Amino acid sequence: MNIFNRLQRLNSENKIWIIYFFIAAFAIIANSYEKDFLVRKNKKSYTIEKTIHIGIFLVAFFIYLYFVLVITKDLNNMEKNFNNTKYRNTFLQLIAALLFLIGGAIYLVQEASTNELDEIGFI
């Protein structure tokens, strides 16, 4: 990978780290709404908490989709040789990114499909 492409990727990853900061902040906000729901049984707080969680999981899903696509592109530009350490490590990164993508999709579907007020919670 040439230096220009690597610098572009690092720039994109910096933006993703900033997005993670906002994900953490929104998770804390969602927890405060969950606390309000648990203490006061405020259904509006439950709805807001659920919406925030769906948004978080949706953003996380697209972040990991980005990683899967980038790593797949890297693998397609490499000689397919498992004896090559760089190829093998990139392939392992793809597996990890796919697992995160699948996990994120499961959490997203679970959060979107759960309507039981007793089953509230991020993880």
Side-chain angles (χ1 to χ4, degrees):
M1 175 184 311
N2 69 35
I3 193 165
F4 178 74
N5 288 341
R6 182 67 185 142
L7 289 173
Q8 272 188 316
R9 184 172 299 174
L10 286 172
N11 190 35
S12 296
E13 289 176 10
N14 286 340
K15 291 174 186 171
I16 289 171
W17 283 114
I18 292 169
I19 292 169
Y20 274 128
F21 172 78
F22 285 105
I23 286 174
F26 277 108
I28 292 169
I29 292 168
N31 283 348
S32 70
Y33 281 108
E34 180 179 357
K35 198 180 301 181
D36 182 58
F37 169 73
L38 292 173
V39 171
R40 296 190 180 105
K41 300 297 181 196
N42 183 349
K43 290 184 182 182
K44 184 175 181 181
S45 292
Y46 171 79
T47 304
I48 293 170
E49 179 269 343
K50 188 168 188 60
T51 303
I52 292 171
H53 279 161
I54 290 171
I56 288 171
F57 289 128
L58 196 59
V59 169
F61 177 83
F62 283 109
I63 287 171
Y64 284 104
L65 181 61
Y66 165 79
F67 283 123
V68 166
L69 294 173
V70 166
I71 295 169
T72 301
K73 182 179 176 184
D74 288 347
L75 280 174
N76 287 334
N77 292 331
M78 298 172 101
E79 180 184 342
K80 285 141 184 71
N81 179 4
F82 275 98
N83 293 325
N84 180 344
T85 305
K86 188 171 181 169
Y87 180 82
R88 188 173 50 243
N89 287 340
T90 305
F91 187 78
L92 291 173
Q93 287 176 342
L94 177 62
I95 292 171
L98 282 169
L99 291 173
F100 274 106
L101 182 67
I102 292 167
I106 291 169
Y107 269 122
L108 179 61
V109 168
Q110 179 272 327
E111 188 67 36
S113 64
T114 301
N115 290 322
E116 301 170 18
L117 296 178
D118 295 334
E119 296 291 327
I120 192 167
F122 185 57
I123 293 182

